[in-house]
Amino acid sequence: MGYSQLPSRFGIHSLSIKLSILISAICLIAGISAAVFMLKSERKQLIFEEHDALKHSSESFINQFNRVIHNKEAIAQKANQVVKKQLFDLGLTNAEIPVTPLSFVDDGSVRSAAPDGLSAAFLPQTVFNEQYQNLFHNSEVLWQQISPTLTEEFFNFYFISTNNFIRISPPNWALQVEAEHQFSDDIFFTVASSENNPSRDAVWTPVYYDDIWHKWVTSLIVPLYVKGEFIGVTGSDLELSNLIKNFPLSDREQQFFVFDERGEVLAHPKLNHQIFQQEGKMNELLETSSQIAEELNGLIKSVVAMDFKDLSDDFIEDGEVHLVNIRKIESLSWYVGVYKKRSRALSALDELEIKFFGLFILYAVLVALLLHQALFQLVLKRIYTLVQSVSSFGKGQFNTQFPAVNKDEIGSLNSAFQVMALDINKLVDGLNQRIEEKEQAEKAANRLSKAVEFSGSGVVIANANFEIEYVNPKLIEMSGFAKEDFLGSPLLSIISNDMQILLDDIDMDIRSRHHWRGDTVLKSIDDQPIWVSLSVSPIREADNSISSYVASAQDISFVKESQRKMEQLAYFDTLTGLANRAFFRMQLRKSMALAERGHYAFALFYFDLDEFKRINDTLGHDAGDQLLLQVANRLKQRLRAEDTVARLGGDEFAVLLSGIDDKHKAAEVAMTIQETICQPIKLGSNEVIISASIGITMAPDDSPEEDQLLKHADLAMYEAKAKGRNTYHFYNQELNAAAKERLMIENELRIAIKEQQFELFYQPQVDCQTLEVVGFEALIRWFHPTQGMISPVKFIPIAESTGLIVELGEWVLWEACRFAKRLDEQGKGNNISINLSARQFKDSNLKALLSSIIIKTGINPRSLHLELTESMLMGDVEIAINQLHELKMLGVSLSIDDFGTGYSSLSYLKRFPVDILKVDRSFVKDIPQDSNDMEITAAIIAMAQKLNLNVVAEGVETIEQIEFLKNNNCFIVQGYFFSPPLAEGDVAGLYQQLALKKH
C-alpha cells in the first residue's frame, strides 16, 4: 500500500475533524432532541386549538345553511296547503278566466301550455275525464298566481298526481316528457309516497340527474292528502350548484366540502366544476367517489358508516395534511366538512423550528472548529510524522526509521509493519474471493437452469421476435405435444384455439406493455381444456434492452373446477339438482326483461305436492327426500331443455315455460306435469301416489312486475288447492279479491275476538233407540255487525294459520263448559263435545287451562269430550300419545273426529287412549245409495267395538241411515234428522220435540 502524497492538514480523514464532528454531533443531537420534544408538545396544543376553531366555524356554517333550508321547507309546505285548498278542498271552477284549449297529442297524451308561458300540464289520455279537464283549467289559474313567487325561491314548482297528471312551472317538463313516462318510478315521487313517508312530512331527495333540465338537482317534496288519501305530491327542484352557493364562500384560510349519506361528494373546491358539468340519466344518483383523493374518500366512508354527527380529524390531499371538522345537516342527511391546511396553522411554529435548528448548527460548527485546533496541536503532529514513516516503508524504503513507540492512540512502529502484512494478506484474500465468487455464479446459473428444467410450472422462452426457443418438460407433459412442435412457433401458439377471441388483446398487451398476466386455456394434443395461470415477462439486458421473453404457465384446472362446483352449490338445489330460488329469480328477471322489450311471453307455474307433509311425517324425512328427488327427475325428463325447473324449498316447485303465450298450451303442460307426478312412486317397501296443485300465471299479460307475478302464481296455486287439489288454476282478478277478503277476515277476526261477536250453537247427539239426548257438540258461529253470519269454513282456517285459534279456542272451552254446567243444574246433565285445533293440542298450557276450567265451572270431567282429528295425532306419534295421557289424567274423554278421512295407522290407533270414534259425514251421507260407503261405515263400527270404543255417527239425515246404523250396532247419532245446531235458547224446545216422538 503506498501514497502519492501525504494527507493535508485539514483533510476530511483528519482525526481532529472526525473527533470534532463527533463531539459536535453529540451536542447537536442532545439539543435538537430537547427542542423536538418541546416543539412537538407545542404542535399538539396548536392542532387542538385549530380543531376547536374549525368546530366553531363549522357550527356557524351549518346554522346559516339550516336557516335557508328551513325557510324553503316552510315555503314548500305553505304552497302545498294552497294547492290542496284551492284545487281539492274548495273545488271551485274559475269560469271568469278563458279556458286554454287542450292538445290531444298522437303519442297518447293530453298537454296544455298556459298562454302566459308560466306553466304547462300533462296527462295520459287513458285517464282523462271531466274531473281532470277542470283540473287543467283550475291549476293553470292557480299557477298564474303562485308560480312567480315560488320560482324566485326554487328552480321550479309542480304538482304530480298518482294518475300521472303534472302541472309545472316553468313548463318544460310537461311539454317534453314522454307519453308513457310513469312519475311513480321517479325518485322525486316515490320518496313522499305513503309507504316511504308515513309521517307525511316534507322530504328532500338525494341529488339526482334531471334529463329534461340537464341539471343535477335535489327536490323538496311535500305529500298531498285529501280526506286521508294520498293523491300526489307538490314539489320544487333546487339546482345543486345554486344550493351550494348558500354556503359561505371558502377563503384563503378555510375551505369546505359537502357529501351525502351515501358518501358521494356534492361540493369540493377542486371538483365543483367537474361535478356540475357531468351528465347522467334520469333519476341517476350523483356518483363522485372516483374523483376524490383516496384518503379523503376513506374518511368520508367512515363518517357515513358510523353516522358521526360531529367529528374532528385530518386527511392528506395533494401531499399536504389538512385539519377538518365534519358536522351533519339532519334535514338533508348531508355532511359539511370545514378544513384548512395544517401547515398554515403551524407556520409560526415552523419558523421557530428553523431558528432553533439554525442556532444549534451554528453552535455545533463553533465547537467543531475549537476542538479541531486543540486536537491538532496536542495530538496530530505526531500522527503526521508516523504517517510519513509508513509511507516511505510502503515505497520500499525498508530502512525507514519509525518514531519511538508511545502509549497513545496511534500505535507504534511495529503496527506499521503489521499494517503492511495485513495489506498483502488482503490482496491475496481478495483474489481468492473473486475466484470463489465466479465459481458460485457458475453453480447458481446451473441451479437456475435445473430449476426451470424441473419446475412444476410450464416454462417457455422466446426471442425478441416472440419465436419459441425453449420449452421445459412440464409444458410438454401438460400439453402432450413434442418439443419440436413448439420450437420456432409463435409464443401465443401455446394458447388453445378456444381462446382465439382474446389472442389479439393479449398480443397487443405484450407488444405495447411487454408483459401480460391472466387465466387462459392451454392448447393440448387431445383438445381437453387445461386452465392455466399464464404470465409473460421480458428478460432485459444490462442496457435495459429486451433480449427475450419468458412465459410461465401454472395449472389451475383444479381451481376452475372448484369454482364450477361452487357455482353449482350457489345456484342449484343440492338434493334434486334443480335450480334453486336464487337461480330461478335470476332467470325470471331475464325473462321479464325480454318481455318488456316485446315479442316475448312466458308462463310461470307454481306448485307443491299435495299431502307431502303427511308422507314426510309418517314415512320419515329420508323417504320424503327420495320422493322429492324422483319428482325432480320426472320433471327434468318431461320438460324442455330451455324451460327452467326449480325447487324453491320444501316441496315447493316452480317452472318457467319460455315462449308460451297461449293458455291452452300452458294447460297442456300442466296436465302433463300432473300425469307425470301422479304415477306411483316406490319409497322403500311403500308405494305412494301423490298429486300437485298448480298455479299458473301468464307474463307479461298478468303483470309486468316480478314480485307481483310470483304472488299471482301463489294465489292461483292456493285456489287450485281449494278446488280439491290435483288440479291447476290460472290467475285471474277474482283471486286478488279472495286474498283481500282473507285479509279483511283476518283483521275483522281480531276485532271480533275483542268485541265478543261469537256465539256457540249446540248440535245434539241422540240415542236413536231411546230418543234420549246424550250430549251436544259445541259449534262456533260468528255474527258480524255489518256482514251478518260469516261461515266457519272461511274464518277457522285463517284463525288456525294466524294463531288466533288458541285465544278463540280458549273462549269456546269456557263457554261450552258453562253451558254444560247450566244444563246439569237444570237436571239435563249431558256430555259436551268440543273440537280442539292442532295449535291448541300442541299448546303446552292446554292441560293447565283445562284443569282451571274444570275447577272454576264445576263441570264433571267425564262429561267433557275433547275431539281431535287423525292428522293432529299422526305427526310425532310418541309426543301425541304422551299429550293424550296427560289429558286423560284430568278425567276427560277423548274422541277422534272425522275418522276414516285421514292417514292413520291402526297399530298407533290401539295405543291412543281414546274413548270415542266419530264416523265422518262423508261416509254416512250416501247411505244407502253407495254400497262402498256402507261397507266402510260398517267396518269402522266393527273395528271400534273390537277396540272397546264408543261410536258416534255424524251427518245423519234420513230414516234409512238410522236403520242402517242400528243394524250395525251404532246407536249414538248426530245430524239434521234430529236437529240442526241450536242456540242455547232453543235447546229446551229440542227436549219437548223428542218427548213427543217417544209418545
Side-chain angles (χ1 to χ4, degrees), residues 44-117:
K44 287 183 178 180
Q45 180 61 29
L46 282 176
I47 291 174
F48 175 79
E49 292 174 356
E50 286 297 331
H51 271 304
D52 192 55
L54 285 175
K55 181 175 181 180
H56 285 90
S57 297
S58 175
E59 185 175 359
S60 174
F61 199 94
I62 295 297
N63 291 338
Q64 180 176 342
F65 185 72
N66 273 334
R67 285 193 292 273
V68 175
I69 294 302
H70 294 333
N71 181 52
K72 293 188 181 295
E73 289 178 349
I75 294 173
Q77 290 174 337
K78 183 63 178 178
N80 179 273
Q81 295 170 4
V82 171
V83 172
K84 177 178 179 296
K85 178 179 180 181
Q86 296 296 326
L87 297 185
F88 298 100
D89 293 346
L90 299 179
L92 301 178
T93 301
N94 297 279
E96 299 83 1
I97 300 176
V99 177
T100 301
L102 303 180
S103 298
F104 290 81
V105 188
D106 293 339
D107 62 2
S109 66
V110 181
R111 302 178 193 262
S112 171
D116 56 11

Side-chain angles (χ1 to χ4, degrees), residues 598-665:
H599 310 294
Y600 181 79
F602 63 92
L604 173 61
F605 286 20
Y606 196 93
F607 61 92
D608 61 15
L609 306 180
D610 300 329
E611 299 297 335
F612 173 77
K613 185 178 184 304
R614 173 177 58 82
I615 295 173
N616 206 34
D617 290 342
T618 53
L619 301 182
H621 293 288
D622 290 341
D625 289 347
Q626 186 63 29
L627 173 63
L628 293 172
L629 182 59
Q630 293 197 38
V631 169
N633 291 336
R634 291 182 181 184
L635 291 174
K636 286 188 283 189
Q637 292 172 2
R638 293 304 301 269
L639 295 174
R640 301 172 300 176
E642 61 266 28
D643 298 329
T644 301
V645 186
R647 178 186 174 217
L648 303 183
D651 64 327
E652 295 180 358
F653 294 86
V655 178
L656 205 62
L657 297 176
S658 60
I660 299 293
D661 57 358
D662 186 358
K663 286 189 176 182
H664 295 293
K665 294 181 181 179

